[in-house]
Amino acid sequence: MESQTIPLHSPLELTLELTDEQFFQLCIDNRDLRFERTATGELIIMPPASSDTGRRNAELSFQLEGWSRQNKHLGIAFDSSTGFKLPDGTDISPDAAWIRRDRWDALTAEEKKKFAPICPDFVVELREAKLSRRESTTDSLEKLRAKMKVYVKNGARLGWLLDRKNRKVEISRQGTEVEILDEPATLSGEDILPGFVLDLTDIF
C-alpha cells in the first residue's frame, strides 16, 4: 500500500511516512492517546478526555447501547474508542456511532479487526464545556463542525454535535442545512434510529 508523508502538528516537528498498517499500529502502541488522520494525511493527536467529559461520554454510550441492545436486528453501537476509515481515506473516531446491521455484516472479519472501512450511519461529537482559561484547539467548535461535515460527506445520515459550552445541539443530515437547537432536553433518533431518544440531562 502506498505510504503517506504526514506532518505531525505537536511540540515536536516531525514528519512520518505511515502506511495504513503502520498508522493502525501507532494507535495500538499509544492507547493513552487518540489519533485521527485527515484525507490529506494530516495526523491529529488528541489527549484523553477530561474525567468529567469521560463520564458524560459514558452516559451517552450507555444510552445508545441500551437502545441498540433492544434493537440488535437494526444495527451496532460503538463508543469513543472506535476508529473508522471513511471512504475518502479519513481515519476518525466519533464520540459515539451506530451502523446499520446489513452494512456492518457486509464487512469481512479482517476488516472489522482494524479500523473498519465504513462511515457510520449515525455519529455524535461531544464538545467539552470548558477545559481551562484557554480552550483546547482540538476541541474547538469549528474543528468539530468540520468533522461533522466530513461525516456527512462520507455518507453519515444523522449527526449530533453536542455543544456543552453553549448548551446547544447542531444536527446534521444529508441534503439539508444544519439545524440548531437551544438547550433541548432530549433528542430523537428520527427514522435513522427509530425509537431512540437521548436524555441530555446528565450529558449537558
Side-chain angles (χ1 to χ4, degrees), residues 49-61 126 164 202-203:
S50 69
S51 298
D52 185 49
T53 295
R55 177 182 68 82
R56 295 169 196 272
N57 263 329
E59 174 63 26
L60 169 61
S61 295
L126 176 62
R164 289 183 52 219
D202 291 331
I203 296 174

Side-chain angles (χ1 to χ4, degrees), residues 34-194:
R34 195 167 78 172
F35 296 88
E36 294 184 337
R37 187 168 52 165
T38 67
T40 57
E42 180 183 2
L43 187 66
I44 302 169
I45 306 175
M46 295 170 290
S50 69
S51 298
D52 185 49
T53 295
R55 177 182 68 82
R56 295 169 196 272
N57 263 329
E59 174 63 26
L60 169 61
S61 295
F62 173 76
Q63 291 190 47
L64 180 59
E65 175 62 18
W67 171 85
S68 185
R69 279 179 175 269
Q70 295 179 0
N71 297 273
K72 290 183 178 181
H73 63 290
L74 294 180
I76 307 291
F78 302 86
D79 68 11
S80 61
S81 64
T82 310
F84 299 98
K85 175 167 280 297
L86 305 186
D88 70 355
T90 300
D91 293 287
I92 202 163
S93 298
D95 286 325
W98 181 88
I99 297 175
R100 264 192 0 244
R101 169 70 69 175
D102 61 316
R103 298 182 66 232
W104 178 250
D105 289 346
L107 299 175
T108 67
E110 192 63 29
E111 288 173 327
K112 294 176 183 178
K113 287 180 181 178
K114 297 184 179 180
F115 297 146
I118 191 171
C119 181
D121 296 275
F122 167 70
V123 294
V124 185
E125 290 289 348
L126 176 62
R127 185 192 189 198
E128 301 235 18
K130 188 175 182 181
L131 293 178
S132 62
R133 293 181 181 178
R134 181 179 179 183
E135 184 183 63
S136 167
T137 57
T138 61
D139 194 50
S140 73
L141 186 56
E142 287 308 313
K143 286 183 178 290
L144 290 176
R145 284 172 173 162
K147 285 181 72 173
M148 296 304 294
K149 289 180 180 178
V150 170
Y151 293 129
V152 172
K153 174 186 173 183
N154 280 274
R157 300 167 62 201
L158 179 64
W160 294 343
L161 197 171
L162 309 181
D163 181 3
R164 289 183 52 219
K165 184 173 183 179
N166 297 308
R167 301 186 64 83
K168 296 178 183 288
V169 173
E170 299 188 10
I171 303 176
S172 297
R173 306 178 182 89
Q174 288 289 328
T176 64
E177 294 293 323
V178 174
E179 179 182 4
I180 300 178
L181 305 179
D182 291 314
E183 299 192 49
T186 61
L187 290 173
S188 167
E190 304 175 7
D191 60 342
I192 312 301
L193 294 83

